[in-house]
């Protein structure tokens, strides 16, 4: 029978595993693991099996291993991981699509009861309806100011009640009532808090950006660069088209106000000398909008039969 590893040997093995993963993977998801049980974690590992590895451990051990590995390899990019190792967190090393891996992790959530002292991650609302509890249980509802009535020998909640607000601690009365109502309001699982990619660190919200979002952000950035360039008269590629147009307007203004001219300004000067040319140009433009209507009126005139005395039922000579 093989002897158990000592504490020092376990640390050496953990350090070797973490360093090997750092060498083989360039993408790492830092995940919060609050209230995640061992069975749930095992299911997540099975769901990610293939191109992803989940590694949990003490923050001090992970920080130490990352720091020593960065010194041994000379790759200071690994040091960007150290500030992220705060709280109850783990690392998910992956070679797959980061967004897809994040979505898989999000699927493995387990419902949990509201335990006394827990910080509520969401608002908890008790819905109206029959609770199935006998009238002797009304004391719980009275303590929490929940309006009830007795209906067919059981307690019925009249209106929905916000029992716990997000960020508040769960009290003993709230926990007891939710337990009696068989309500498991919370769900827990690994939550991605940061993404490490080849030394760069960014928020997981970036994974939800679409191509349209990126295009809109890029267009907004170009617009800001263009506005700034025009304001300080500093030429940039973004502002170049506007600068050329503004320069053309200035040159055209000078040509109109002086004897200086160029081909593009000659036409403008002609119009300014004789504004009636504008009207001539408009009148010369083909107007096809009324032609069909006129043609239709002509057709109606042709088709309209001529009236005769015979149509009246008698003749002038009768």
């Amino acid at each position: 029978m093989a002897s158990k590893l000592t504490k020092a040997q376990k640390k050496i093995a953990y350090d070797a595993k973490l360093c090997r993963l750092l060498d083989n993977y360039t993408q790492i998801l830092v995940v919060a693991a609050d209230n995640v049980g061992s069975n749930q974690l095992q299911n997540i590992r099975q769901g990610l099996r293939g191109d992803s590895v989940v590694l949990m451990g003490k923050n001090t051990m992970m920080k130490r291993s990352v720091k020593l590995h960065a010194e041994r390899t000379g790759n200071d990019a690994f040091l960007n991981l150290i500030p992220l190792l705060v709280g109850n967190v783990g690392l998910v090393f992956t070679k797959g699509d980061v967004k897809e891996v994040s979505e898989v992790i999000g699927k493995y959530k387990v419902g949990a009861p509201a335990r006394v002292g827990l910080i509520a991650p969401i608002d908890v609302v008790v819905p109206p309806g029959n609770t199935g509890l006998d009238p002797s249980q009304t004391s719980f509802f009275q303590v929490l100011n929940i309006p009830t009535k007795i209906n067919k020998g059981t307690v019925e909640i009249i209106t929905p009640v916000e029992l716990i607000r997000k960020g508040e601690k769960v009290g003993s009365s709230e926990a007891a009532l939710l337990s009696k109502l068989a309500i498991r309001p919370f769900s827990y699982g690994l939550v991605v808090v940061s993404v490490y990619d080849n030394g760069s660190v960014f928020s997981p919200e970036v994974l939800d950006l679409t191509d349209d979002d990126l295009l809109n952000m890029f267009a907004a950035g170009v617009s800001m660069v263009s506005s700034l360039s025009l304001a300080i008269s500093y030429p940039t590629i973004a502002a170049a088209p506007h600068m050329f147009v503004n320069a053309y307007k200035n040159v055209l203004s000078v040509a109109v106000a002086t004897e200086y001219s160029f081909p593009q300004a000659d036409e403008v000067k002609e119009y300014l000398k004789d504004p009636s040319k504008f009207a001539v140009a408009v009148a010369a433009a083909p107007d096809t909008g009324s032609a069909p209507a006129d043609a239709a009126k002509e057709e109606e005139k042709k088709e309209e039969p001529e009236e005769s005395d015979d149509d009246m039922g008698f003749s002038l000579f009768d």
Side-chain angles (χ1 to χ4, degrees):
M1 184 175 177
S3 59
K4 291 184 178 180
L5 295 176
T6 63
K7 192 174 181 180
Q9 289 173 328
K10 287 181 179 179
K11 286 185 178 180
I12 294 172
Y14 183 88
D15 178 75
K17 182 178 182 179
L18 178 54
C19 293
R20 184 173 66 253
L21 291 172
L22 289 173
D23 287 334
N24 294 334
Y25 293 85
T26 59
Q27 298 178 136
I28 306 172
L29 302 178
V30 181
V31 293
D34 293 332
N35 302 298
V36 177
S38 57
N39 290 336
Q40 184 180 358
L41 193 58
Q42 185 62 27
N43 291 334
I44 295 173
R45 283 195 170 100
Q46 291 177 356
L48 293 174
R49 186 167 294 171
D51 54 5
S52 301
V53 178
V54 180
L55 181 67
M56 307 300 293
K58 292 183 179 180
N59 292 347
T60 52
M61 287 182 61
M62 289 192 287
K63 288 180 179 179
R64 177 181 174 279
S65 296
V66 170
K67 186 176 180 180
L68 292 176
H69 190 65
E71 292 175 355
R72 285 196 296 264
T73 60
N75 187 353
D76 292 337
F78 291 134
L79 298 177
N80 294 334
L81 278 171
I82 294 179
L84 308 178
L85 303 177
V86 178
N88 186 17
V89 297
L91 302 177
V92 179
F93 297 83
T94 182
K95 292 182 179 178
D97 183 89
V98 178
K99 180 175 175 58
E100 292 179 359
V101 174
S102 177
E103 291 174 350
V104 172
I105 291 173
K107 292 178 182 178
Y108 290 88
K109 289 190 175 182
V110 176
R115 295 189 179 90
V116 179
L118 281 179
I119 302 299
I122 58 171
D123 294 332
V124 179
V125 177
V126 177
N130 197 305
T131 63
L133 300 176
D134 60 80
S136 64
Q137 304 291 327
T138 54
S139 59
F140 284 104
F141 300 96
Q142 292 172 354
V143 170
L144 298 168
N145 296 321
I146 297 177
T148 60
K149 66 179 181 179
I150 305 301
N151 184 16
K152 296 180 181 180
T154 58
V155 179
E156 181 177 326
I157 299 174
I158 300 174
T159 58
V161 177
E162 187 178 44
L163 188 63
I164 309 170
R165 292 185 179 180
K166 180 180 179 180
E168 293 181 347
K169 279 189 177 182
V170 179
S172 57
S173 298
E174 291 88 347
L177 176 60
L178 292 171
S179 177
K180 285 182 178 293
L181 297 177
I183 296 176
R184 299 166 68 88
F186 306 144
S187 60
Y188 297 107
L190 295 181
V191 179
V192 179
V193 293
S194 297
V195 181
Y196 171 94
D197 190 349
N198 263 326
S200 300
V201 178
F202 51 87
S203 169
E205 283 77 14
V206 175
L207 302 177
D208 297 326
L209 293 176
T210 63
D211 291 341
D212 290 338
D213 294 330
L214 294 176
L215 287 173
N216 291 335
M217 293 171 66
F218 179 77
V222 171
S223 178
M224 291 180 63
V225 171
S226 177
S227 300
L228 179 61
S229 299
L230 291 173
I232 64 176
S233 298
Y234 184 83
T236 61
I237 295 177
H242 304 284
M243 288 181 168
F244 284 128
V245 170
N246 291 338
Y248 172 74
K249 289 179 180 179
N250 292 335
V251 173
L252 183 61
S253 299
V254 172
V256 170
T258 64
E259 296 299 323
Y260 174 77
S261 187
F262 53 93
Q264 288 78 7
D266 291 337
E267 186 176 357
V268 177
K269 286 186 175 183
E270 288 296 323
Y271 280 126
L272 293 176
K273 287 179 182 178
D274 186 7
S276 63
K277 290 185 177 181
F278 283 108
V280 173
V282 172
D287 185 6
T288 59
S290 60
D294 295 339
K297 289 180 180 179
E298 290 296 329
E299 288 295 328
E300 289 178 3
K301 288 181 180 180
K302 289 181 182 179
E303 294 176 1
E304 194 174 292
E306 295 182 2
E307 293 185 359
S308 65
D309 293 336
D310 293 336
D311 295 334
M312 302 291 290
F314 60 89
S315 173
L316 289 173
F317 300 99
D318 288 345

